[in-house]
Structure formats: C-alpha cells, structure tokens
C-alpha cells in the first residue's frame, strides 16, 4: 500500500542536490534562526494530559506586545512524519511581522521534533482533519494565555493538510479567532481503494455544516494535487452545507501552484487577497515595521552564468549538475568547494544558505556561492582568502546558541 501526500516542501523547496567526491544526495541542513524577525522555537503542550510538546517556530516584532497573531499550519511530506523538517513559512511570516503580527508555526504531534504520535485515519478525511485540528486548538489555547498576544485578534491559516485541519478547526467556537485562511487545503491518499476525492468533498461538507468562522480559500489552476474541478466540488459542498468561504482561484504558478506559499514569488499571488480578507474580518493590514532584507551577493564579471566550463573545481558529474541547475527556476543558488563538492538549491526559503550549508556538510574545505539566480557571484580572490582563513582558524568549542533582538527592525511610517 502506497500513500502519496506531498506537501509544499516537496513541490517547491525540497529539491536540493549535492555531490562531494562521489555522486549522491545530501541531507539538507537546518537554516539558522533569523534574528531580524526574532525567530525562536518554543515547545507547546498538547495531547492527552498535555504530555506531548509541539515544536513551534515563533516570529515577532520587537517589544512586549500584545501583538495580533497568525498561526500557520503545515502539510505532510511523504514518508515518516518525524523525518519531516521544521516548517517556517518564512516568506509569509516576514510579511506578517512587518504588519505587527506575532507568527506561530506549530509542528503537530509526531512531526519533526514534536513529541507524541502522528494519528492517521486512512481514507477518512473528515477524521484526519479533526484529529490534526486538536493540536492547532492546543496552540491557540497556549497563545491566548500569553501576555504578548492580543487574544482578540487572531487568524488561523493552513497549507495542504494544514488547510484541511484549519477548516476542521473552524467547526469549533474559537474566541478571538476572526478568520481562517485555507491555502490549497486537502489531503491526497493514493493507497488502494481510497476514494480520497469524494472523501474530501464529504469532509468539507461536514465542516461547512458546522462552520462558525469566515474563511478565505486560495487554490491555483495548476495544483498537482487538487484540480479546479475538485476544488469547485469541495467549495460547493462547504457552502451548500452552510459554510461561509470566499474562493480565489489564481492562474498557473510556476511548475505547481500547490507550493506557492513557500515560494519567494508567491507573495505576489496571495498578499492582496489575504489583506482584503483580513480587513473584512477586522484584522490589521498596515505595515508598521520595516524589516531589512538580508544582504545579497553582488554579481561579478567572472563569467557568464551559462558558461559551464568557467565553474571552478567541478568534475564531469559536477558540470552535468550545473547544466541541470541552469534549467531551474529562480530563486536558485549554486555553491562549490575546492574539494570538488557542489550543491544547488531552488525555490523555498533562502536557497543561498541552503546550498552553502549542504555543500559544507559534504566538504572538508570551505564552500562559496558561485551563482545566484541569473548572475555569477563568484570572486576568486575572496574565495582564496576564505580558504586560508578557514585553514588557520581553530574549531570553536561547542556552546549554546542565543536568540538576539531584531535590532535592524524599525518602525514604518
């Protein structure tokens, strides 16, 4: 029996290739916490007797608050849930922190480093949504008890499986929650005998019959999981049962609109409709902070981006990889090392950092970026200096990391 349940990461941000001295894929490295928007991780009690702990990424503006809150809920990758990396929804979080929000991204029980057990109800999509909604409810209860959260101004969003769970949550009385946002919500199960499409329609019909909170739904025309015809069926079932949902169907987005939320370019799709909806439900939409963008590598005149022979250190396999890299969509980045290691990353969160981190994990010599998007950023002089510095720098003793205050965040007029 095979179940296929792709999430946003598989479709837009997961494909990262790396090669050291031998061909092979490398494990993608965890991205560093972003001090500019006060990113940190907390553990939220959940489950029976609050024995489980949900690994939850938090972003927030400077200051004591209280801040309006958005809770963003993740999908499910293929494979075992505890192998799924921590979700951040970084691009969306950045946009909301600029508008004065705190952002929580909880990993539900059994996912990533959260404790507890993942509970799967197979093809019963209604039960799957309700079960996953329990952990969102636990996150909501925790948040409402925090002084730095404005308990009267909360919105809950979810992508893919998280969207299904978000709509299931909306069947409850949720004080302070003013709206729900469903980004490509649903769950696909290709196991034998599972009529998952009809099961999804039935699930949304039940959620609509019990619906208590207005919602915004966003689906793209080239979503690889949920076709426009299926989306129409789900939305019709929800509204005919009594639910209130505004459906936005947007044009094809890159290769697969299911991953729009994880893309740097996705904000152009979701932002305007989301802000209009938030305004309708009494949530803030004005930018009140200006978060500086991270420094970007500068283009150099080392070579043209499509000059494959100019890329240093690569074996023939590496050159084939760079040729493939040139077919990928932006954002993208390619990193190399004098050891012969290489790595490229596309889409998703910070491909520059992901490419460097994974390349470094495969190499005993420093990796540097060669290309970013459509430009070569390689500087041979800087690369040589970095290699010398690395060879002369002692390895630091292990220690605990610290979350700094986002000193670069300034109030916007």
């Amino acid at each position: 029996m095979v179940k296929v349940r792709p999430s946003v990461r598989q479709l837009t941000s997961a494909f990262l290739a790396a090669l050291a001295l031998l061909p092979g894929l490398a494990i993608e490295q965890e991205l560093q916490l972003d001090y500019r928007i006060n990113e940190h991780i907390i553990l939220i009690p959940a489950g029976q007797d609050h024995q489980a702990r949900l690994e939850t990424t938090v972003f927030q503006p400077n200051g004591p608050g209280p801040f309006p809150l958005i809770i963003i809920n993740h999908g499910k990758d293929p494979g075992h849930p505890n192998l799924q990396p921590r979700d951040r929804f970084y691009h969306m979080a950045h946009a909301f922190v600029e508008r004065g929000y705190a952002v929580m991204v909880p990993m539900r029980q059994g996912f990533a480093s959260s404790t507890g057990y993942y509970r799967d109800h197979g093809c019963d999509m209604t039960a799957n949504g309700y079960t996953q909604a329990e952990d969102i409810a636990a996150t909501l209860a925790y948040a409402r008890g925090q002084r730095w959260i404005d308990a009267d101004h909360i919105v809950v969003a979810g992508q893919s499986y998280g969207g299904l769970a978000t709509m299931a949550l909306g069947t409850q009385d949720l004080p302070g929650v003013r709206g729900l946002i469903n980004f490509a919500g649903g769950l696909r199960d290709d196991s034998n005998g599972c009529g998952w499409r009809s099961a999804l329609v039935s699930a949304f019909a039940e959620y609509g019959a019990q619906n208590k909170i207005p919602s915004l739904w966003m689906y793209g025309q080239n979503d690889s999981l949920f076709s426009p015809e299926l989306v129409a069926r789900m939305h019709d079932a929800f509204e005919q049962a009594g639910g209130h949902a505004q459906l936005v169907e947007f044009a094809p987005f890159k290769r697969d609109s299911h991953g729009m939320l994880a893309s740097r370019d996705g904000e152009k799709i979701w932002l305007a409709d989301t802000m209009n909806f938030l305004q309708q439900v009494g949530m803030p939409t004005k930018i009140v902070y200006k978060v500086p963008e991270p420094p970007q590598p500068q283009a150099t005149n080392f070579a043209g981006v499509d000059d494959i022979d100019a890329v240093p250190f690569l074996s023939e396999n590496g050159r084939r990889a760079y040729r493939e890299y040139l077919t990928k969509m932006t954002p993208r980045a390619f990193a190399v090392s004098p050891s012969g290691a290489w790595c490229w990353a596309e889409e998703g969160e910070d491909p520059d950092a992901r490419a460097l981190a994974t390349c470094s994990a495969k190499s005993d010599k420093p990796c540097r970026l060669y290309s970013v998007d459509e430009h070569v950023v390689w500087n041979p002089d800087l690369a040589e200096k970095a290699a010398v510095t690395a060879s002369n720098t002692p390895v630091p003793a292990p220690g605990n990391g610290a979350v700094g205050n986002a000193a670069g965040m300034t109030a916007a007029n």
Side-chain angles (χ1 to χ4, degrees):
M1 183 171 66
V2 178
K3 293 182 178 180
V4 179
R5 296 176 178 176
S7 81
V8 65
R9 182 179 297 102
Q10 265 58 46
L11 295 168
T12 64
S13 64
F15 194 80
L16 183 153
L19 180 72
L21 300 179
L22 296 174
L25 292 175
I27 297 174
E28 186 168 348
Q29 303 298 299
E30 176 80 5
L31 294 174
Q32 292 184 353
L33 299 176
D34 190 339
Y35 73 92
R36 298 171 310 117
I37 48 178
N38 293 314
E39 181 182 7
H40 58 284
I41 298 172
I42 61 175
L43 299 177
I44 292 179
Q48 188 173 7
D49 300 322
H50 290 171
Q51 292 181 344
R53 293 293 182 269
L54 307 182
E55 179 189 31
T56 302
T57 305
V58 178
F59 304 87
Q60 66 189 74
N62 289 338
F67 307 112
L69 172 69
I70 181 169
I71 299 172
I72 311 176
N73 300 291
H74 63 85
K76 184 183 184 301
D77 292 356
H80 202 284
N82 68 5
L83 299 178
Q84 182 166 321
R86 172 176 65 95
D87 274 286
R88 302 165 77 217
F89 293 99
Y90 176 81
H91 300 295
M92 188 174 185
H94 184 282
F96 272 84
V97 171
E98 283 192 324
R99 288 164 173 81
Y101 285 70
V103 180
M104 290 185 177
V105 186
M107 301 302 296
R108 299 186 297 276
Q109 288 185 64
F111 286 90
S113 295
S114 293
T115 61
Y117 297 95
Y118 171 66
R119 290 175 290 167
D120 184 357
H121 298 280
C123 205
D124 187 340
M125 298 300 171
T126 305
N128 281 324
Y130 279 139
T131 295
Q132 296 301 303
E134 293 175 9
D135 287 344
I136 308 175
T139 303
L140 182 59
Y142 172 88
R144 286 180 51 81
Q146 306 306 304
R147 285 185 171 183
W148 48 280
I149 295 297
D150 178 350
D152 293 324
H153 290 86
I154 299 172
V155 64
V156 180
Q159 194 276 339
S160 196
Y161 199 1
L164 179 70
T166 294
M167 297 313 301
L169 179 77
T171 62
Q172 304 177 32
D173 290 312
L174 303 171
V177 177
R178 297 179 173 234
L180 309 173
I181 309 176
N182 166 20
F183 292 102
L187 184 63
R188 174 174 171 170
D189 188 336
D190 287 331
S191 58
N192 293 334
C194 178
W196 60 270
R197 294 174 180 84
S198 296
L200 275 181
V201 173
S202 297
F204 280 111
E206 174 160 332
Y207 302 157
Q210 306 298 324
N211 177 241
K212 302 182 186 305
I213 302 170
S215 59
L216 170 69
W217 295 23
M218 297 193 73
Y219 290 81
Q221 292 179 0
N222 63 330
D223 191 307
S224 64
L225 275 70
F226 310 124
S227 68
E229 182 272 336
L230 176 58
V231 171
R233 289 173 59 199
M234 295 189 297
H235 182 255
D236 288 347
F238 185 84
E239 287 213 317
Q240 288 173 11
H244 177 60
Q246 174 187 344
L247 174 62
V248 175
E249 296 181 279
F250 55 91
F253 178 78
K254 296 192 174 182
R255 297 189 188 95
D256 189 340
S257 61
H258 194 75
M260 173 267 296
L261 203 59
S263 172
R264 178 187 68 188
D265 302 323
E267 184 173 310
K268 301 170 187 174
I269 305 298
W270 63 261
L271 184 63
D273 288 301
T274 297
M275 292 301 117
N276 287 338
F277 172 73
L278 293 180
Q279 193 169 42
Q280 292 169 21
V281 297
M283 294 293 289
T285 59
K286 182 181 177 182
I287 293 178
V288 293
Y289 296 99
K290 188 60 180 176
V291 181
E293 296 294 333
Q296 296 297 317
Q298 296 298 308
T300 66
N301 295 320
F302 180 77
V305 69
D306 56 353
D307 186 350
I308 298 172
D309 292 334
V311 187
F313 313 131
L314 294 185
S315 65
E316 190 56 39
N317 283 336
R319 298 194 186 286
R320 282 196 293 270
Y322 188 78
R323 187 176 291 108
E324 181 181 1
Y325 160 79
L326 292 175
T327 69
K328 303 305 174 183
M329 293 184 175
T330 60
R332 63 185 185 183
F334 193 96
V336 295
S337 166
S339 70
W342 57 265
C343 173
W344 60 260
E346 69 166 337
E347 277 290 6
E349 300 167 9
D350 202 350
D352 305 18
R354 287 158 43 220
L356 278 174
T358 309
C359 179
S360 298
K362 299 286 285 185
S363 175
D364 58 359
K365 294 183 180 180
C367 292
R368 289 188 66 84
L369 291 172
Y370 179 79
S371 172
V372 175
D373 292 343
E374 302 294 346
H375 306 288
V376 171
V377 298
W378 179 258
N379 186 319
D381 294 333
L382 290 179
E384 183 176 352
K385 289 179 182 178
V388 171
T389 300
S391 65
N392 293 331
T393 301
V395 177
N400 294 326
V403 178
N405 199 37
M409 192 186 303
T410 57
N413 293 327

